[in-house]
Amino acid sequence: PMTAENSLMELIREGKYDEIHLSPFSRMDMNLGTMALDPLTQHTYLTVSAISLFSRTAIGAGVRADDAFDLSDALLFFLSYYKTSDEVYEIYQLSAVMFAKQVHQTKEKKPSYQTERVLNYIARNIYRKITIQDVADYVGLAPNYLCRLFSKEMGISLYQYIQREKITISCNLLRYTDRSISDIATYMGFQTQSNFTAVFRKWQNMTPTQYREENYRETY
């Protein structure tokens, strides 16, 4: 029933993983439509749908998309090996708890006010060259102190974070537009195309040209 689903989603959004106790499949079957004649297949379909729904709910509650998708992939991988409904139920229950725990951990390590300002500054200026000094001047902190604070709270250096965000957007431009690589390099604030290529290879283990050849999608 939708009321039960809404209650479960609320527990995940609030990160209350220790309060999650899902009904067994035997009790749920009477409320489910027929997705397959075989009970194992039916329960597997239900679990796959649930994992997708749980991951989107966790992302909406603040979990990084990459973290949620990594967990989703891991759960689906293990699910592919299970051969009984009892084993599938273990993944079903575990997935709700683990996504809720991701939310809980995200809320526990919420960035400080200064780090939030840094993230906002980078997001607004991602299309130009950003230096550590620029960011430090904006938030009013010494560069060395700012770098230590950011690294401690985000688990990644400020310099690496800026690079990673630029490359993430560059990937979308390579995948969904036909802009030249030199144009994308300039657009993203890199001084030269060779510098852009070197940074791109560092994060994607391939050149921008190779990435486009493997991932380009024509958009209408």
Side-chain angles (χ1 to χ4, degrees):
M2 287 304 299
T3 53
E5 179 179 308
N6 291 337
S7 297
L8 174 58
M9 294 306 109
E10 188 62 26
L11 290 176
I12 293 176
R13 276 191 291 269
E14 294 180 2
K16 296 181 178 179
Y17 63 92
D18 53 346
E19 297 182 21
I20 293 177
H21 305 286
L22 303 183
S23 299
F25 287 150
S26 58
R27 289 183 57 190
M28 297 174 61
D29 285 340
M30 66 184 69
N31 294 313
L32 295 175
T34 301
M35 295 177 283
L37 296 177
D38 173 50
L40 175 60
T41 304
Q42 170 105 344
H43 297 153
T44 300
Y45 286 167
L46 170 64
T47 303
V48 170
S49 301
I51 290 172
S52 178
L53 183 59
F54 297 161
S55 68
R56 267 55 178 189
T57 301
I59 292 170
V63 173
R64 289 181 64 250
D66 285 349
D67 293 337
F69 293 150
D70 284 346
L71 174 56
S72 177
D73 290 345
L75 291 165
L76 292 171
F77 178 81
F78 283 107
L79 179 64
S80 68
Y81 281 93
Y82 288 172
K83 304 301 182 183
T84 69
S85 288
D86 288 342
E87 291 176 321
V88 171
Y89 179 78
E90 289 180 7
I91 288 291
Y92 176 64
Q93 170 81 19
L94 182 64
S95 62
V97 172
M98 291 188 72
F99 280 113
K101 194 160 190 175
Q102 273 193 331
V103 174
H104 173 77
Q105 292 171 338
T106 298
K107 292 179 182 295
E108 286 289 299
K109 61 178 183 180
K110 185 176 181 180
S112 64
Y113 172 70
Q114 292 94 332
T115 299
E116 288 280 8
R117 293 190 69 204
V118 170
L119 297 176
N120 290 334
Y121 178 87
I122 293 171
R124 291 199 305 270
N125 295 277
I126 196 66
Y127 297 105
R128 70 177 186 85
K129 181 180 179 181
I130 303 174
T131 67
I132 302 297
Q133 189 63 55
D134 290 336
V135 182
D137 290 342
Y138 176 76
V139 297
L141 297 174
N144 288 340
Y145 175 78
L146 171 62
C147 289
R148 289 196 301 271
L149 175 67
F150 190 91
S151 180
K152 179 181 178 181
E153 295 191 358
M154 299 299 295
I156 185 174
S157 75
L158 178 55
Y159 180 72
Q160 290 177 320
Y161 179 84
I162 294 170
Q163 279 193 344
R164 188 185 72 184
E165 294 303 293
K166 284 180 175 290
I167 296 306
T168 297
I169 295 175
S170 298
C171 286
N172 287 330
L173 293 173
L174 289 166
R175 184 184 296 121
Y176 297 115
T177 77
D178 57 2
R179 289 186 179 211
S180 69
I181 292 174
S182 61
D183 282 348
I184 292 174
T186 301
Y187 187 62
M188 295 307 303
F190 290 90
Q191 291 183 324
T192 65
Q193 182 176 334
S194 60
N195 176 238
F196 170 63
T197 299
V199 174
F200 192 95
R201 186 192 292 273
K202 169 185 171 183
W203 288 97
Q204 295 295 327
N205 295 317
M206 65 178 71
T207 67
T209 299
Q210 292 169 327
Y211 184 90
R212 170 166 274 170
E213 288 175 351
E214 292 187 12
N215 297 279
Y216 180 73
R217 299 288 185 271
E218 188 168 4
T219 305
Y220 295 91

